Structure formats: structure tokens, C-alpha cells
């Protein structure tokens, strides 16, 4: 049975995020602001369709996709970029759940960021 990602998740840790953003060529001002934030995730998961809302006091960001299908990630609300898988070497991310914690591993150009969220 696939993991159920549905729910509201509050960030409890965010390791190596600035290095990950640097690997994505995010400008220094946005990086500095982003590393100070502790965004929440509001996830709706129905079969292979997932909507992830990342919510913070600075900016909100929505991602709507189907598992296993390539899609363009529209970051116009964050730093005005549009990204596709492969635009940066090794770019990708993986979510998994352990108990009441959502783990997120973000990867790009050898940089790895590990974030953990607690279900509320």
C-alpha cells in the first residue's frame, strides 16, 4: 500500500538547506531569507495525484503533480524560475513517512538537504 502523505505538517528540522539552494543557483538574498523560515506543508494525496502547499510567513508555494509523470515546477512565486527534472545534475526529491514524521530529502549537484516535519 502506498504511503499516505495527507495532512498538515510542521517543520522540525532543516539540514543543509542553504547548500541545496546554492546548488540550484538561488540568489544569496533569497537563500538567506529562506534559511530563516520554518515552512509548513499542507498535503492532499489522492492516488497518484499530489498537491503540496508550502506555507511560510514570507511566501507560499504550491506544487500540483502526478507521481511518475515529469512536470514543470513553477517557482515564479518563489524566485521566478521554472524547473524540470534534469535541469541540474542529480536534481530530485523524495518524501517518506516514519510514524508521525514526514521526511523530505532534496538533492541537486551533490548537495543533499534533509527536512523533517511533524504531523499536526
Amino acid at each position: 500500500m502506498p504511503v499516505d502523505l495527507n495532512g498538515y505538517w510542521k517543520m522540525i528540522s532543516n539540514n543543509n538547506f542553504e547548500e541545496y539552494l546554492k546548488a540550484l543557483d538561488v540568489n544569496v538574498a533569497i537563500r538567506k531569507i529562506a534559511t530563516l523560515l520554518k515552512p509548513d506543508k499542507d498535503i492532499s494525496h489522492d492516488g497518484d495525484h499530489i498537491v503540496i502547499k508550502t506555507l511560510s510567513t514570507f511566501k507560499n508555494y504550491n506544487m500540483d503533480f502526478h507521481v511518475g509523470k515529469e512536470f514543470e515546477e513553477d517557482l515564479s512565486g518563489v524566485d521566478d524560475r521554472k524547473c524540470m527534472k534534469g535541469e541540474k545534475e542529480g536534481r530530485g526529491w523524495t518524501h517518506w513517512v516514519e510514524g508521525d514524521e514526514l521526511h523530505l530529502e532534496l538533492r541537486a549537484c551533490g548537495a543533499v538537504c534533509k527536512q523533517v516535519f511533524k504531523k499536526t
Side-chain angles (χ1 to χ4, degrees):
M1 171 132 187
V3 66
D4 180 7
L5 300 174
N6 281 298
Y8 197 89
W9 307 84
K10 290 197 153 290
M11 179 178 274
I12 58 175
S13 68
N14 187 10
N15 298 316
N16 208 37
F17 191 49
E18 185 165 9
E19 288 304 311
Y20 169 75
L21 294 175
K22 198 180 294 184
L24 291 176
D25 296 323
V26 173
N27 78 57
V28 69
I30 297 289
R31 284 199 320 260
K32 295 301 178 188
I33 293 168
T35 57
L36 296 174
L37 300 174
K38 291 187 79 165
D40 297 340
K41 301 262 185 201
D42 186 5
I43 302 177
S44 300
H45 182 185
D46 183 16
D48 68 347
H49 182 228
I50 299 177
V51 177
I52 301 174
K53 296 176 183 175
T54 302
L55 310 168
S56 77
T57 54
F58 180 61
K59 287 193 178 187
N60 297 330
Y61 164 67
N62 296 329
M63 199 165 35
D64 187 330
F65 62 96
H66 288 83
V67 175
K69 293 185 181 174
E70 190 169 339
F71 65 97
E72 182 177 71
E73 187 176 1
D74 185 354
L75 297 168
S76 57
V78 179
D79 69 351
D80 297 324
R81 293 180 303 127
K82 291 191 179 194
C83 303
M84 293 289 288
K85 180 181 176 184
E87 55 93 29
K88 290 288 186 181
E89 181 184 338
R91 183 172 187 270
W93 42 264
T94 306
H95 285 94
W96 70 93
V97 174
E98 292 178 9
D100 64 348
E101 292 182 348
L102 172 70
H103 294 257
L104 172 58
E105 181 179 276
L106 304 154
R107 302 172 299 278
C109 301
V112 178
C113 169
K114 294 186 178 181
Q115 299 178 337
V116 180
F117 299 81
K118 189 162 185 73
K119 194 167 195 175
T120 61

